[in-house]
């Protein structure tokens, strides 16, 4: 774990072979929400979840308890629309049922129940219309987009899918992703939707929290245009930071901060994991959220991490249960990096009836403290 | 939570009125271990625990599940000696029984069972003798020291108590503490024992991870000699850092890193908390470990956080369940700060039959990246 990290080919969760990502957006004026689906290859993936926020909105997470019966799942749904948006999973279920994918429950191959775990972020009213939420059609569009995207496809980031209306500490949030190939050859990837009540930006310096401490061995060389190129951190010019602070203060006066917030993540790997190991990966991945956002895991955060393990590569022999360590550490680091990339990927600010949320790039002109 | 943080009077866990801390050390050549007791005031405190490491060693933690019967406890034990050291809790139980403190289980006031939750760090053989471990006598000595210390006493830090033989990422670890007074007047304090497999030091810069992002509002002015004085971070001189890296590499060659490691913490407050709220505080406090140490929560970490709530002050009215947020955020920040202080408090390096572990100050000449 002290070797420089090797990013995956696309530096995204789709570097885990067989996983596909699709986004869909709620149509219409007044809508700023959407759904993101991570689709497993045929046969599904071992899955787990760890919920650490105090205000979670989830569906089918109890089925993922390693003590319970379902062994593999076909898709995970991340969605806007708060608890209403969980309905988008119904569209993913229907799509899977049509393909006879799911838990077989009868003699006919069509007798399946797809278990589609889902978690939501709060973005109600972000586009002006409190009732514009993802539903089954949004979920279906997202899973169709995932299916159509092909293997190792580039993952769209920023204000897409479940991140369409996302905000973080007064700034625009969104979707981010990152991946790494471990020395063992195992690939680990992460995808996040950042919509947190805490801040991604250190108010003292203007640097992104997630960039701190990522200059060295864990962040690795930024060979794919990432913001982690090694060396000492640089910080925004104090004048730029002061101007940014003023702008943010104005924006906050214009709109009260949203009451409920969440960071969602999927950590995926091609390793062979038991469901209990997958659960541990989901738990330690929350460390990556803690490093990128302050504070987190509050009563109004619904922070939830899913794990998907496709089971293509055995863990390295020798270290026994400790073989999991490199995946645990990588999962946390990737979640941090994916959050940084989500914040940097946010396009221009979000200004409308739902509030005024500048983007980081708008305020600071690009990445800082990690070059 | 955006106000500058106000440190407690002693900037230690004993700023929470009624809590006392005592350390004891295992006597004899070859011994480098000990026990730390956090003693609640008469009548006990609401308590909870959250275990996040993959290799925990604990006692009486199931009793703290908010669904279970025990309502308050009198003391928490942090101890060296791995699972053997849990026996130190027996000495604390005996001391409490003599004072009729514990869960009343019979008609006579002497009929009590003290519930003494405990967690251990791995330091077996650190002093050369694998069998030199804390036992009941060590626990009794620690609780007696706590009792004798008086209210708001200064807490000894560094290589004391359960931190006597602690190491962290090749450096000497130990005990650290910190506290804050929130705007509501509620006091929150933390005490940690740092003995982690991960590193407290960013290998790219030589700065302490826990100092990153603590320059501003969450770290607050360093009015009590802490290492958080605001402003932009400073980093160790590159030549100093390179020399430190060389020294650490030599030390690591001399001794294999220990196989099992742990960061233990107690987060305490004078707030009125339910047991479920206390459990949430313990969970979110793990974020503070994640920010100060990388990686953490691995299979060979036994990371465990206890919460103690003495119940002297009601949570602020108004925000409902969100009133807990400021304690959640403060708990995480204080754990980070206590870890930084533990590493800085380590005296000269630990060199002996159990290994070669320089201290941070020895390598870097004092705190860095946080002034």
């Amino acid at each position: 774990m002290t070797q420089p990290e090797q990013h995956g080919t696309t530096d995204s969760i789709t570097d885990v072979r067989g996983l596909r990502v699709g986004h869909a957006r709620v149509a219409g004026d007044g809508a700023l929400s959407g759904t993101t689906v991570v689709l497993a290859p045929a046969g599904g993936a071992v899955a787990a979840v760890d919920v650490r926020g105090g205000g979670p909105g989830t569906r089918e997470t109890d089925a993922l308890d390693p003590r319970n019966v379902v062994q593999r799942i076909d898709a995970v749904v991340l969605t806007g629309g708060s608890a209403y948006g969980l309905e988008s999973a119904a569209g993913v279920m229907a799509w899977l049922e049509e393909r006879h994918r799911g838990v077989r429950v009868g003699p006919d191959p069509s007798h399946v129940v797809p278990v589609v775990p889902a978690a939501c972020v709060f973005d109600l009213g972000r586009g002006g219309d409190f009732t514009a939420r993802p539903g089954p059609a949004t979920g279906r569009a997202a899973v169709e987009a995932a299916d159509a995207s092909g293997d190792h496809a580039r993952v769209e980031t920023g204000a897409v899918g479940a991140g369409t209306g996302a905000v973080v500490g007064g700034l625009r949030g969104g979707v981010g992703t990152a991946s790494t190939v471990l020395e063992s050859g195992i690939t680990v990837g992460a995808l996040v939707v950042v919509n947190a009540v805490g801040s991604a930006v250190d108010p003292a310096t203007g640097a992104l929290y997630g960039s701190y401490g990522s200059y060295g061995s864990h962040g690795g060389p930024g060979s794919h245009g990432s913001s982690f190129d090694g060396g000492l951190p640089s910080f925004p010019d104090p004048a730029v930071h002061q101007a940014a602070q003023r702008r943010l203060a104005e924006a906050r006066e214009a709109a009260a901060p949203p009451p409920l917030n969440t960071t969602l993540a999927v950590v995926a790997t091609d390793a062979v994991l038991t469901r209990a190991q997958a659960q541990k990966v989901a738990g330690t991945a929350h460390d990556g959220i803690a490093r990128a956002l302050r504070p987190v895991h509050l009563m109004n955060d619904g922070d939830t991490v899913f794990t998907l393990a496709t089971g293509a590569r055995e863990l390295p022999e020798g270290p026994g249960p400790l073989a999991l360590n490199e995946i645990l550490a990588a999962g946390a680091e990737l979640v941090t990096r994916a959050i940084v990339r989500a914040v940097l990927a946010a396009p221009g600010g979000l200004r409308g009836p739902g509030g005024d949320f500048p983007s980081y790039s708008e305020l600071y002109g690009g990445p800082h403290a990690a070059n």
Side-chain angles (χ1 to χ4, degrees), chain A:
Chain A
M1 282 173 290
T2 55
Q3 297 301 310
E5 183 184 293
Q6 180 69 49
H7 293 185
T9 312
T10 69
D11 203 9
S12 77
I13 195 172
T14 53
D15 285 327
V16 177
R17 190 178 189 77
L19 290 189
R20 299 181 181 192
V21 174
H23 301 295
R25 182 177 172 149
V26 178
D29 282 351
L32 262 180
S33 189
T35 299
T36 297
V37 170
V38 181
L39 181 64
V46 165
V49 66
D50 192 301
V51 179
R52 296 272 168 99
T58 58
R59 173 172 166 151
E60 288 279 48
T61 46
D62 284 319
L64 297 185
D65 185 318
R67 295 166 292 195
N68 294 339
V69 70
V70 171
Q71 299 296 307
R72 300 174 81 87
I73 63 158
D74 289 284
V76 168
V77 169
L78 311 179
T79 186
S82 189
Y84 300 107
L86 296 174
E87 193 59 14
S88 59
V92 180
M93 285 185 73
W95 186 90
L96 289 168
E97 185 187 17
E98 291 160 14
R99 282 148 190 84
H100 303 177
R101 291 178 64 170
V103 178
R104 182 81 171 266
V105 293
D108 192 277
S110 71
H111 294 175
V112 296
V113 177
V115 173
V116 180
C120 62
V121 301
F122 183 95
D123 57 9
L124 296 175
R126 194 72 39 88
D129 180 355
F130 192 81
T131 68
R133 305 149 187 166
T138 327
R140 179 180 280 272
V143 72
E144 284 176 347
D147 185 52
S149 68
D151 278 341
H152 299 307
R154 199 180 71 79
V155 175
E156 214 183 336
T157 58
V160 293
T164 300
V167 300
V168 48
L171 292 176
R172 191 160 199 180
V175 172
T177 188
S179 76
T180 189
V181 181
L182 304 172
E183 274 186 85
S184 59
I186 288 169
T187 298
V188 185
L191 180 132
V192 302
V193 181
V194 185
N195 187 55
V197 66
S199 177
V201 180
D202 184 346
T205 65
L208 291 166
Y209 283 126
S211 64
Y212 287 137
S214 299
Y215 330 113
S217 57
H218 296 297
S223 54
H224 293 89
S226 93
S227 55
F228 295 79
D229 288 340
L232 286 181
S234 72
F235 292 91
D237 183 87
V240 169
H241 180 49
Q242 279 166 30
Q245 294 285 85
R246 279 194 301 273
R247 171 76 181 82
L248 260 180
E250 285 166 19
R252 279 181 171 136
E253 267 179 35
L260 290 163
N261 303 267
T262 289
T263 301
L264 305 177
V266 177
V267 174
T269 177
D270 57 0
V272 177
L273 298 186
T274 64
R275 294 168 63 204
Q277 286 174 319
Q279 212 281 327
K280 196 82 191 168
V281 172
T284 301
H286 277 277
D287 289 346
I289 303 179
R291 291 175 186 139
L293 301 169
R294 298 195 184 193
V296 285
H297 301 129
L298 302 189
M299 296 305 281
N300 39 345
D301 285 305
D303 307 320
T304 298
V305 178
F306 295 97
T307 303
L308 290 173
T310 61
R313 282 177 178 267
E314 295 285 346
L315 292 179
E317 280 182 38
L322 301 189
L324 191 62
N325 275 355
E326 63 170 359
I327 297 177
L328 293 172
E333 296 290 339
L334 288 169
V335 165
T336 297
R337 200 150 65 78
I339 291 172
V340 167
R341 297 180 89 204
V343 174
L344 295 177
L350 190 168
R351 260 170 296 279
D356 177 4
F357 304 95
S359 73
Y360 184 83
S361 308
E362 206 174 41
L363 294 185
Y364 292 96
H368 276 289
N371 283 340

